[in-house]
């Protein structure tokens, strides 16, 4: 297909680096540069701009990235559909997106219950950050996505049905043997002199906002590519980190967690396209809601109100559901 350069451009935007995209795609860096230059000649405007830490899309490039992502997803779906017809498998697969912390345990467990209750189903799990997953839902390449309202938040989009699942309390992950291990909940002021590592802007914003309310500034001196790298830096004693409470059940065994006093929280939502819903989308939403479960009104966690609001759901506290 003549979409090679489009795929290269989307990869460059995702990784923020021409060289990293070249490694992932198996090209030379000069080949990646030529493909981007060819797209820019066709578009008549620059699509990427260089900065000290790599590259990022220009405003025109961001518009193109959004449409290119949708086009590539639809092209991939078309090719899969052709293969399915050839092999006699006509059932439409359920494509589920989830943020990394929710893809680690909550969402796979809900899919397992869905399969146990409803029988065989072709499905696929796509990890990503909330803004990217939202774009994929509106583009039609995801049937369900489990996302959060951590910064920059979730847009109000009439094309998307949104269901509130629950609140997630953030916790701090520490290396084994850390002096604060087992002494929580701790005020964030007690961790003011620690080195922190972050892997995305949303989590870093939650940490900075929480620390600012306590009158301190966290030293976010290290950056990781993802949650796996983030916890690896913690396990090896380089830093501590703020992580979602829902992740604690899937953490590696050489780290531990401590709760914060008045911890930062984020809302967890399931979103799905209003048009052409997958037959298994609604049953999966029910299984996801069951992971949080109903609580008595007096114990319900705070949650947003408005047209997207649903019945109250509990918060995750350090890997368990409070009821």
């Amino acid at each position: 297909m003549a979409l090679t350069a489009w795929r290269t451009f989307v990869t460059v935007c995702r990784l923020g680096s021409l060289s990293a995209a070249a490694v992932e795609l198996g090209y030379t860096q000069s080949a990646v540069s030529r493909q981007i230059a060819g797209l820019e000649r066709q578009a008549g405007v620059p699509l990427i701009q260089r900065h000290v830490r790599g590259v990022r899309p220009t405003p025109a490039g961001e518009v193109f990235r959004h449409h290119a992502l949708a086009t590539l997803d639809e092209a991939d779906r078309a090719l899969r559909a052709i293969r399915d017809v050839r092999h006699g498998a006509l059932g439409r697969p359920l494509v589920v997106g989830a943020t990394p912390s929710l893809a680690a345990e909550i969402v796979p467990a809900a899919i397992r219950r869905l399969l146990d209750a409803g029988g065989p189903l072709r499905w696929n799990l796509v990890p990503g950050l909330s803004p990217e997953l939202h774009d994929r839902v509106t583009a039609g390449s995801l049937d369900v996505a489990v996302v959060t309202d951590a910064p920059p938040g979730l847009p109000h989009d009439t094309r998307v049905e949104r269901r509130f699942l629950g609140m997630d309390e953030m916790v701090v992950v520490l290396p084994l043997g850390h002096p604060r291990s087992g002494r929580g909940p701790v005020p964030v002021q007690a961790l003011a002199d620690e080195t922190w590592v972050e892997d995305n802007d949303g989590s870093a914003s939650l940490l900075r906002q929480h620390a600012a309310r306590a009158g301190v500034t966290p030293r976010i001196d290290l950056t990781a590519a993802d949650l796996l790298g983030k916890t690896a830096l913690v396990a090896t004693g380089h830093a501590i980190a703020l992580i979602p409470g829902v992740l604690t059940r899937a953490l590696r065994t050489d780290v531990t967690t401590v709760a914060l006093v008045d911890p930062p929280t984020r809302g967890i939502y399931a979103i799905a396209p209003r048009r052409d819903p997958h037959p298994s989308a609604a049953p999966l939403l029910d299984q996801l809601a069951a992971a949080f479960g109903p609580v008595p009104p007096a114990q319900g966690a705070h949650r947003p109100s408005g047209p997207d609001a649903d019945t109250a759901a509990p918060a995750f506290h350090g890997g368990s559901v409070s009821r």
Side-chain angles (χ1 to χ4, degrees), residues 26-270:
Y27 300 142
T28 63
Q29 184 170 335
S30 60
V32 170
S33 297
R34 286 195 300 272
Q35 291 182 50
I36 300 299
L39 285 175
E40 291 179 326
R41 284 194 298 272
Q42 288 181 318
V45 293
L47 297 176
I48 62 169
Q49 57 187 7
R50 288 166 172 79
H51 59 94
V52 293
R53 299 180 61 183
V55 299
R56 57 173 168 252
T58 63
E62 181 58 30
V63 171
F64 178 64
R65 184 199 67 83
H66 176 78
H67 289 284
L69 183 63
T71 299
L72 291 169
D73 285 340
E74 189 58 34
D76 290 341
R77 285 161 65 101
L79 290 175
R80 287 196 299 270
I82 292 171
R83 289 193 294 268
D84 289 343
V85 170
R86 185 177 64 199
H87 295 298
L90 298 178
R92 173 181 164 188
L94 177 68
V95 186
V96 182
T99 63
S101 60
L102 292 160
E105 198 272 340
I106 296 291
V107 173
I111 294 174
R112 178 71 271 164
R113 293 191 298 272
L114 175 69
L115 297 175
D116 291 343
L121 171 70
R122 291 193 305 132
W123 62 276
N124 188 28
L125 180 60
V126 179
L129 298 180
S130 294
E132 174 190 357
L133 296 175
H134 179 273
D135 287 351
R136 288 176 177 262
V137 168
T138 58
S141 62
L142 291 179
D143 298 302
V144 175
V146 190
V147 296
T148 81
D149 61 5
L154 289 174
H156 289 278
D157 193 322
T158 58
R159 297 170 295 177
V160 171
E161 182 168 354
R162 191 167 75 184
R163 181 169 179 178
F164 176 76
L165 298 177
M167 298 299 292
D168 184 23
E169 292 187 352
M170 306 294 283
V171 300
V172 177
V173 61
L174 308 168
L176 292 180
H178 189 281
R180 292 288 175 178
S181 177
R183 296 189 179 184
V186 301
V188 72
Q189 296 96 319
L191 304 171
D193 293 332
E194 298 278 354
T195 296
W196 295 77
V197 56
E198 276 301 347
D199 65 324
N200 68 77
D201 291 339
S203 179
S205 294
L206 285 176
L207 174 58
R208 290 192 179 99
Q209 292 167 9
H210 177 71
R213 288 194 296 268
V216 296
T217 301
R219 291 172 41 206
I220 307 176
D221 292 342
L222 296 176
T223 302
D226 50 29
L227 274 171
L228 186 63
K230 185 174 177 175
T231 53
L233 288 173
V234 173
T236 49
H238 294 288
I240 65 174
L242 190 71
I243 65 166
V246 295
L247 185 62
T248 57
R249 295 191 294 216
L251 279 176
R252 51 194 291 170
T253 58
D254 52 359
V255 297
T256 188
T257 61
V258 64
L260 286 169
V261 174
D262 189 22
T265 62
R266 59 183 193 160
I268 298 177
Y269 295 82

Side-chain angles (χ1 to χ4, degrees), residues 2-10 27 35-36 38-39 42 64:
L3 293 174
T4 302
W6 291 41
R7 199 175 302 277
T8 298
F9 175 76
V10 168
Y27 300 142
Q35 291 182 50
I36 300 299
L39 285 175
Q42 288 181 318
F64 178 64

Side-chain angles (χ1 to χ4, degrees), residues 165 229 280 284:
L165 298 177
S280 295
L284 177 59

